[in-house]
Each structure stands twice: as structure tokens, then as C-alpha cells.
């Protein structure tokens, strides 16, 4: 299951930093900026993406309440490798590694959660690289649907096996164009693997989707 900072530990970040709100579509930080601040998502969702020199965007993750973004700030004199923007209205607690350090020294639970989050981020990135480089277009869509609906996640809008994604949003996440994604989703729907609704994709046959991987 996805690792998150429990609400019972939010107060450490609140003591170490400040709380800010970002409107839908607003930028939390830009790729290439100096990295100095860590953000705990208190409410809402953000999209983390890489911007290529040609202007194309590759979505690496959509993160929800309880997750950390900006962990490159743990490295001195580093820059942001990605851009982060708000999907909906987002409440963030921003702090520096230095300001958080005294609380890490006090709380073994907080320290353990932080290590788990960093490990989880690394594992997620490896999964994304595999999806983008080794899978064909059908496998890219299927793997994303399977991964995102493995566990319900109300903070992310995932109820049961239903994703609150439009075809365009899904296309951005898997690095394909919308027309291609729509064709694949209609194909999956025809096979009974998924159900489609307005801004909703419901996985109805996980075994069917899994059969796409040899």
C-alpha cells in the first residue's frame, strides 16, 4: 500500500515550516529552480512532471495528501529535476530539511516514515521508467490502470476500482496522445476489462488486463 505521512505527524511539519494554498493549475515549483524546500501535501493533489526541451511533458506521478514532494531538497546545492503543479486546490506545508531535522531527532516514527517515503518514490520512479521504455501502448495503459487501482485511495479520488480520470488526463500520465488512449480504452471496454463513464474509468477485470503481459 502507498506510504503516507499520517495526520498525527503533520504537526511536526507545521512547527518546522509554513502552510500555503495553491489554486488548481498553480505551480508549486518549476524544473531547474534551486531546491531548498520540502512540501508535505496536507490537502488536494499535485502532478509531478518532467518538461523536455521540445516542450513535451512526461507525468511521473500524481500525489495526494500525506505525500512529500521536493525531496531533492535533502541534497545541498541541488536543483529541481521536475515541475510540480496543483491538480485541484492544494494545501501544502513547506519547510527545509534543516528546520525539520530537530523533529526527526525526536521522533523515530517520523524518521522511519521519511525513509519509507524516499524508498517508495524510488520504486515508483523505477516502475514509471519500465512503463515508458519497455511496454507497448496497450501495456502502458493497462499497467497504469492496474497500479492505480490496486488499493482504494480516497485522497486521490480513487474509490474501489474507479479512477476519476478523463481520457486526456490518462494520456498525459502514460505519455501517449489522447486519440490513442481513447482507442485503447474503447478496446478494453469491448473486452469487458473496464467500464467507462464521464471522467471515470472502472477496472472490472484485473485478470484480463494482466493477460496483456507475457
Amino acid at each position: 500500500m502507498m506510504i503516507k505521512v499520517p495526520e498525527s505527524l503533520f504537526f511536526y511539519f507545521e512547527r518546522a515550516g509554513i502552510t500555503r494554498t495553491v489554486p488548481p493549475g498553480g505551480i508549486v515549483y518549476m524544473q531547474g529552480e534551486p531546491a531548498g524546500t520540502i512540501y508535505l501535501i496536507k490537502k488536494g493533489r499535485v502532478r509531478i512532471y518532467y518538461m523536455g526541451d521540445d516542450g513535451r511533458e512526461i507525468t511521473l506521478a500524481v500525489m495526494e495528501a500525506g505525500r512529500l514532494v521536493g525531496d531533492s531538497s535533502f541534497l545541498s546545492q541541488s536543483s529541481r529535476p521536475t515541475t510540480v503543479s496543483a491538480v485541484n486546490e492544494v494545501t501544502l506545508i513547506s519547510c527545509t530539511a534543516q528546520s525539520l531535522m530537530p523533529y526527526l531527532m525526536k521522533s523515530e516514527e517520523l524518521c522511519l516514515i521519511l525513509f519509507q517515503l524516499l524508498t517508495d518514490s524510488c520504486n515508483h520512479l523505477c516502475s514509471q521508467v519500465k512503463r515508458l521504455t519497455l511496454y507497448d501502448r496497450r501495456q502502458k495503459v493497462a499497467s497504469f490502470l492496474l497500479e492505480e487501482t490496486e488499493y482504494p485511495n480516497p485522497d486521490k479520488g480513487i474509490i474501489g476500482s474507479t479512477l476519476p480520470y478523463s481520457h486526456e488526463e490518462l494520456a498525459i500520465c502514460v505519455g501517449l496522445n489522447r486519440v490513442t488512449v481513447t482507442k485503447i480504452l474503447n478496446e478494453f471496454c469491448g473486452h469487458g476489462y473496464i467500464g467507462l463513464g464521464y471522467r471515470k474509468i472502472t477496472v472490472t477485470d484485473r485478470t484480463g488486463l494482466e493477460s496483456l503481459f507475457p
Side-chain angles (χ1 to χ4, degrees):
M1 185 174 289
M2 189 71 72
I3 304 297
K4 298 182 183 182
V5 177
E7 290 188 16
S8 60
L9 298 182
F10 281 12
F11 75 95
Y12 285 121
F13 292 86
E14 291 169 337
R15 290 177 179 176
I18 59 174
T19 300
R20 57 177 287 206
T21 299
V22 181
I27 299 297
V28 178
Y29 58 74
M30 290 288 293
Q31 181 177 319
E33 290 181 353
T37 307
I38 305 157
Y39 297 91
L40 171 67
I41 306 170
K42 187 175 181 180
K43 181 181 179 182
R45 299 191 298 275
V46 303
R47 180 169 76 99
I48 304 171
Y49 57 98
Y50 175 81
M51 302 174 64
D53 293 336
D54 58 1
R56 289 190 301 168
E57 298 177 359
I58 299 175
T59 297
L60 299 177
V62 174
M63 291 191 176
E64 71 284 6
R67 301 283 289 173
L68 289 181
V69 293
D71 46 23
S72 56
S73 299
F74 287 112
L75 296 174
S76 60
Q77 299 181 339
S78 64
S79 60
R80 304 289 192 191
T82 57
T83 295
V84 175
S85 64
V87 175
N88 51 9
E89 184 174 271
V90 176
T91 301
L92 301 162
I93 305 170
S94 61
C95 60
T96 64
Q98 184 176 8
S99 65
L100 190 60
M101 190 60 66
Y103 303 104
L104 290 172
M105 300 292 288
K106 291 181 180 179
S107 173
E108 181 178 330
E109 182 183 8
L110 178 63
C111 193
L112 179 61
I113 284 290
L114 194 61
F115 283 129
Q116 290 174 337
L117 283 167
L118 294 174
T119 301
D120 192 62
S121 294
C122 181
N123 290 340
H124 179 77
L125 181 59
C126 289
S127 177
Q128 282 290 79
V129 170
K130 182 179 180 180
R131 178 183 297 131
L132 293 171
T133 59
L134 299 180
Y135 288 166
D136 64 31
R137 61 186 186 277
R138 289 178 179 82
Q139 290 173 327
K140 286 179 180 179
V141 175
S143 66
F144 183 85
L145 295 177
L146 288 169
E147 182 177 305
E148 291 295 305
T149 60
E150 185 175 3
Y151 302 103
N153 191 338
D155 288 327
K156 211 170 182 178
I158 300 171
I159 307 300
S161 297
T162 298
L163 287 168
Y165 281 46
S166 67
H167 295 194
E168 179 68 26
E169 289 167 336
L170 177 57
I172 291 172
C173 288
V174 297
L176 298 171
N177 66 60
R178 186 192 61 77
V179 173
T180 297
V181 166
T182 295
K183 288 180 179 178
I184 293 171
L185 291 176
N186 287 335
E187 178 185 325
F188 288 175
C189 189
H191 289 309
Y193 300 159
I194 63 172
L196 297 174
Y198 176 68
R199 295 183 63 85
K200 288 184 179 180
I201 304 167
T202 302
V203 175
T204 54
D205 183 0
R206 296 185 67 85
T207 301
L209 290 176
E210 290 167 352
S211 70
L212 297 173
F213 301 91

